C-alpha cells in the first residue's frame, strides 16, 4: 500500500540583503536534493523563499508583511513538521509600520497618544474603519508618490505609535507589530509562538569576524542611509531575539564563523552550512514519515484520484460565456 502524498512546505525566514549567497546555495545545492529525497517516499518538498517573490509594488502597498505571515501560516497548516527554518546574521531588518490596526486597539492607541502624536497617527490611517473586516479594522492609507518622502513619514508615524503603545497595557502579542522587524514577526509566528518549535525548527546563526559597523557593510547591518549611522536600537533588538531563540530551541541553534574580506564575507563555511541544513531537514522528514500511518490500498487510490483532480483543475478555465453572464448578472444586482 502507498503512503499518502505528504507535502513538506518549508518557509525560509531571514533578512534579505545579507543572505543572498546562502539562499542561492540552498536553491542550487540543497532544495533539489531534498526534493529527490522526498520523492522516494511519494512525498513532495516545497521550499518557500519569498524574498524572490515580493514585488516592489507589494512593498509599496504594505502587503508584504501580511503575505509573509500568511505564507508561514500556510506552511504550518499544510505541512507536517518541518515547516520553518531561520537564517540569522547581523541585521535585525526592516521595521514596517502596521498596515492594519484592529478598531478596539486603535481606540486605545488614540486615547493613549499625546495630542501631537495623535495628529500624526490619524493622518496616516483611513478616517473610517473597514467594517467588513472582523474585528473592524483601520487601514494605513495606500502609498502613492515619493518613496523616500513616504519612508521618512512612516518612520515618524511609527515613532508616534510606539510612544502611544508604551502608554497602554497591550499584551506582548499586541505590541509585536509596532516594535518588531518583519523577520522578527515571521520568527514569532514560525518559532517563538509555536509550542512544538523545539522539535522541528532549526536556526542557523552566522558570525562575521571583523565586520565593520559603517557604510562599507551596509548590506550586512542595519544601516540608516539618511542618518549615515546604524539604526538606533536594532542591534539590541536582534540580540534579544537571538537570546530568546537560544533559550527556546537550544540544540537546534547552529553557529557558523566567517570573516569580512573587502566588502564581502568569506564563503568557505557555506558548504558546511548546506550539508547541515540538508541533514537536519532529512532527519525531521524521516521522523514524520515513520510516524505517519500507512494507508490502505483503497485510501491510496482515492488520494491518487484526488491529487490528479486537483492537479488538473488547478489551471482550468472554461465556460467563459457562462461565467461572464453570471458576472454581469451579479454586477447589475450590486449596482441596483
Amino acid at each position: 500500500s502507498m503512503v499518502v502524498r505528504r507535502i513538506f512546505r518549508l518557509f525560509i525566514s531571514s533578512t534579505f540583503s545579507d543572505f543572498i549567497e546562502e539562499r542561492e546555495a540552498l536553491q542550487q545545492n540543497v532544495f533539489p536534493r531534498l526534493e529527490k529525497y522526498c520523492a522516494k517516499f511519494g512525498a513532495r518538498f516545497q521550499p518557500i523563499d519569498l524574498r524572490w517573490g515580493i514585488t516592489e509594488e507589494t512593498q509599496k502597498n504594505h502587503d508584504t508583511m501580511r503575505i509573509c505571515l500568511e505564507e508561514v501560516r500556510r506552511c504550518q497548516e499544510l505541512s507536517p513538521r518541518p515547516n520553518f527554518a531561520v537564517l540569522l546574521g547581523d541585521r535585525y531588518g526592516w521595521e514596517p509600520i502596521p498596515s492594519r490596526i484592529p478598531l478596539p486597539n486603535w481606540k486605545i492607541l488614540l486615547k493613549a497618544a499625546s495630542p501631537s502624536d495623535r495628529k500624526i497617527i490619524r493622518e496616516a490611517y483611513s478616517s473610517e474603519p473597514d467594517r467588513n473586516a472582523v474585528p473592524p479594522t483601520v487601514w494605513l492609507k495606500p502609498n502613492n508618490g515619493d518613496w523616500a518622502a513616504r519612508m521618512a513619514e512612516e518612520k515618524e508615524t511609527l515613532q508616534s505609535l510606539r510612544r502611544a503603545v508604551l502608554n497602554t497595557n497591550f499584551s506582548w502579542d499586541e505590541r509585536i507589530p509596532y516594535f518588531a522587524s518583519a523577520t522578527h514577526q515571521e520568527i514569532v509566528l514560525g518559532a517563538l509562538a509555536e509550542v512544538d518549535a523545539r522539535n522541528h525548527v532549526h536556526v542557523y546563526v552566522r558570525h562575521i569576524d571583523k565586520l565593520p559597523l559603517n557604510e562599507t557593510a551596509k548590506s550586512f547591518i542595519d544601516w540608516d542611509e539618511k542618518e549615515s549611522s546604524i539604526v538606533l536600537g536594532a542591534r539590541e533588538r536582534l540580540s534579544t531575539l537571538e537570546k530568546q531563540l537560544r533559550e527556546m530551541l537550544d540544540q537546534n541553534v547552529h553557529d557558523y564563523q566567517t570573516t569580512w574580506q573587502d566588502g564581502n564575507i568569506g564563503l568557505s563555511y557555506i558548504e558546511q552550512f548546506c550539508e547541515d541544513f540538508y541533514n537536519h531537514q532529512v532527519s525531521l522528514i524521516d521522523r514524520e514519515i515513520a510516524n505517519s500511518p500507512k494507508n490502505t490500498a483503497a485510501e491510496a487510490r482515492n488520494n491518487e484520484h484526488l491529487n490528479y483532480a486537483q492537479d488538473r483543475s488547478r489551471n482550468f478555465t472554461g465556460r467563459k460565456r457562462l461565467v461572464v453572464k453570471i458576472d454581469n448578472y451579479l454586477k447589475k444586482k450590486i449596482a441596483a
Side-chain angles (χ1 to χ4, degrees), residues 2-6 8 35-44 282 285-286 289-290 294:
M2 230 192 89
V3 178
V4 61
R5 291 278 301 241
R6 310 296 295 261
F8 293 95
E35 279 160 30
K36 270 206 192 79
Y37 189 80
C38 287
K40 287 199 311 209
F41 303 101
R44 281 175 38 216
V282 160
I285 289 164
D286 282 347
I289 286 176
K294 292 277 189 284

Side-chain angles (χ1 to χ4, degrees), residues 226-271:
K226 207 161 161 257
E227 306 290 327
S228 290
S229 69
I230 277 189
V231 174
L232 207 65
R235 284 185 88 71
E236 292 71 21
R237 290 194 277 279
L238 178 63
S239 83
T240 306
L241 172 60
E242 189 186 322
K243 221 170 28 234
Q244 279 183 310
L245 284 168
R246 286 185 191 278
E247 278 164 20
M248 182 164 174
L249 302 175
D250 199 25
Q251 305 293 309
N252 289 8
V253 180
H254 316 280
D255 294 275
Y256 300 88
Q257 294 292 340
T258 180
T259 34
W260 186 254
Q261 301 162 348
D262 331 311
N264 213 330
I265 54 169
L267 299 178
S268 53
Y269 80 99
I270 283 202
E271 205 174 315

Side-chain angles (χ1 to χ4, degrees), residues 28-266:
Q28 298 290 324
N29 314 325
V30 179
F31 297 156
R33 285 170 69 198
L34 285 170
E35 279 160 30
K36 270 206 192 79
Y37 189 80
C38 287
K40 287 199 311 209
F41 303 101
R44 281 175 38 216
F45 178 78
Q46 279 181 354
I48 304 296
D49 183 349
L50 287 187
R51 297 301 180 277
W52 306 112
I54 298 231
T55 61
E56 180 118 358
E57 206 37 56
T58 332
Q59 286 186 335
K60 286 183 180 162
N61 285 337
H62 278 282
D63 261 357
T64 316
M65 203 56 252
R66 185 180 59 81
I67 292 170
C68 290
L69 296 179
E70 272 176 14
E71 275 306 318
V72 174
R73 277 191 203 96
R74 278 187 59 190
C75 288
Q76 291 173 330
E77 281 161 21
L78 293 176
S79 180
R81 297 172 296 274
N83 52 37
F84 194 75
V86 182
L87 317 181
L88 211 58
D90 290 86
R91 279 189 71 218
Y92 183 60
W94 172 56
E95 298 178 25
I97 182 170
S99 61
R100 42 173 73 192
I101 299 177
L103 190 59
N105 291 19
W106 172 253
K107 289 178 170 162
I108 294 169
L109 276 174
L110 289 182
K111 254 205 191 87
S114 69
S116 57
D117 281 339
R118 189 176 305 138
K119 188 167 177 289
I120 291 170
I121 294 168
R122 272 192 189 283
E123 269 166 23
Y125 288 85
S126 59
S127 52
E128 280 301 307
D130 171 1
R131 300 202 176 266
N132 285 330
V134 179
T137 299
V138 179
W139 290 85
L140 195 63
K141 285 179 187 157
N143 192 1
N144 38 28
D146 177 8
W147 183 232
R150 173 74 191 222
M151 285 283 106
E153 213 171 281
E154 281 187 5
K155 217 158 148 188
E156 187 188 28
T157 309
L158 189 56
Q159 295 308 330
S160 297
L161 284 166
R162 284 175 175 178
R163 285 193 289 269
V165 170
L166 292 175
N167 283 333
T168 68
N169 53 6
F170 280 6
S171 66
W172 185 75
D173 287 355
E174 290 173 315
R175 279 166 193 249
I176 279 285
Y178 303 92
F179 289 95
S181 68
T183 304
H184 188 165
Q185 292 183 45
E186 290 173 1
I187 292 171
V188 167
L189 186 61
L192 297 174
E194 167 65 14
V195 206
D196 186 26
R198 177 166 233 158
N199 294 323
H200 68 95
V201 177
H202 286 271
V203 179
Y204 304 88
V205 184
R206 181 192 61 203
H207 308 270
I208 307 172
D209 199 30
K210 302 196 173 57
L211 175 68
L213 299 183
N214 61 36
E215 192 155 11
T216 58
K218 69 178 181 191
S219 299
F220 288 84
I221 55 179
D222 294 287
W223 186 253
D224 186 332
E225 289 282 1
K226 207 161 161 257
E227 306 290 327
S228 290
S229 69
I230 277 189
V231 174
L232 207 65
R235 284 185 88 71
E236 292 71 21
R237 290 194 277 279
L238 178 63
S239 83
T240 306
L241 172 60
E242 189 186 322
K243 221 170 28 234
Q244 279 183 310
L245 284 168
R246 286 185 191 278
E247 278 164 20
M248 182 164 174
L249 302 175
D250 199 25
Q251 305 293 309
N252 289 8
V253 180
H254 316 280
D255 294 275
Y256 300 88
Q257 294 292 340
T258 180
T259 34
W260 186 254
Q261 301 162 348
D262 331 311
N264 213 330
I265 54 169

